[in-house]
Amino acid sequence: MMALDASQNLEDVELLARFAQGDRSAAQILTARLAPFVFAQAYRMLGDRAEAEDITQDSLLRLWHAAPDWQPGQAKVTTWLYRVASNLCIDKMRKAKRHSGEAVPELPDDRPNMERRLQDRARARALRAALGGLPERQKQAMTLRHLEGLSNPDVAQIMQISVEAVESLMSRGKRSLAHALAPQKKALGLEDDG
């Protein structure tokens, strides 16, 4: 148990190297550490739990296959994994040829803040639908930056483009989202009070 506790404090790249040498506990630690982030990214891009779980599993399998040939210093493990997951999501979206913002119907709820919660859900659905209408690269950049909270340099590295290209994608994406959401602004409670 002492070795497992010590392994918890290792960097991702050290854990990956240990896995490549046959240490299965390193893979368990790395999976527990990284899977939630990959799942969240895939879910935000695809909007489907089952597909996000598949992408998470496939991404981690690719990481384990890459472990023996991993070159420390070339890319961060997390950046590499985000890129793989993003590419798998894009492939899945292309194959499915669908960009729906449909959500599972919500059951009525009589708790005190029901109106606010319904409005928040309507905003989330509208945002998902608007994101779904963006070109794939803009959607990927917007998702990684604003929903995953990554920095522009990290997004650039994941997408294999320059920081300036990320900023350009973000700017165009924001304009497209504002245009797509403009007709719904009042209904979604997004109108300025002044």
Side-chain angles (χ1 to χ4, degrees):
M1 190 67 166
M2 184 74 116
L4 185 62
D5 290 342
S7 295
Q8 295 280 350
N9 297 324
L10 294 176
E11 296 289 324
D12 295 342
V13 72
E14 294 170 302
L15 288 168
L16 193 59
R18 284 187 177 201
F19 168 75
Q21 296 168 354
D23 183 350
R24 299 288 179 204
S25 67
Q28 291 173 333
I29 294 167
L30 208 48
T31 299
R33 186 182 291 176
L34 300 176
F37 298 107
V38 175
F39 175 82
Q41 175 193 8
Y43 183 71
R44 286 186 181 115
M45 288 184 76
L46 300 172
D48 183 283
R49 289 189 77 76
E51 288 181 356
E53 288 170 0
D54 290 345
I55 294 293
T56 302
Q57 188 172 35
D58 197 9
S59 299
L60 289 168
L61 282 172
R62 290 177 187 223
L63 180 63
W64 306 140
H65 288 291
D69 301 318
W70 190 266
Q71 298 295 317
Q74 297 241 336
K76 291 192 307 189
V77 174
T78 52
T79 302
W80 184 90
L81 198 56
Y82 270 119
R83 184 175 344 151
V84 168
S86 289
N87 289 339
L88 289 171
C89 288
I90 289 169
D91 289 347
K92 189 168 279 290
M93 288 186 291
R94 283 181 181 152
K95 285 179 187 172
K97 290 185 180 176
R98 68 176 168 83
H99 295 285
S100 73
E102 294 178 21
V104 177
E106 301 286 337
L107 295 175
D109 185 1
D110 353 356
R111 288 188 271 181
N113 269 335
M114 185 175 75
E115 184 178 332
R116 170 68 187 243
R117 289 179 35 244
L118 289 174
Q119 188 174 50
D120 289 346
R121 287 181 190 143
R123 287 177 182 169
R125 278 192 302 273
L127 180 59
R128 273 196 306 275
L131 272 172
L134 292 179
E136 289 174 8
R137 300 292 278 175
Q138 287 179 20
K139 178 180 179 178
Q140 183 181 15
M142 297 289 287
T143 299
L144 290 170
R145 178 69 179 103
H146 292 292
L147 299 178
E148 294 298 323
L150 299 176
S151 68
N152 283 355
D154 285 342
V155 173
Q157 190 172 11
I158 289 166
M159 295 181 70
Q160 297 179 313
I161 57 177
S162 69
V163 173
E164 292 78 17
V166 169
E167 291 168 354
S168 176
L169 285 170
M170 301 288 293
S171 178
R172 291 193 316 262
K174 286 178 183 177
R175 281 194 304 272
S176 295
L177 286 176
H179 179 73
L181 294 172
Q184 304 171 56
K185 208 171 179 180
K186 187 173 184 178
L188 294 173
L190 298 173
E191 294 256 296
D192 292 335
D193 293 330

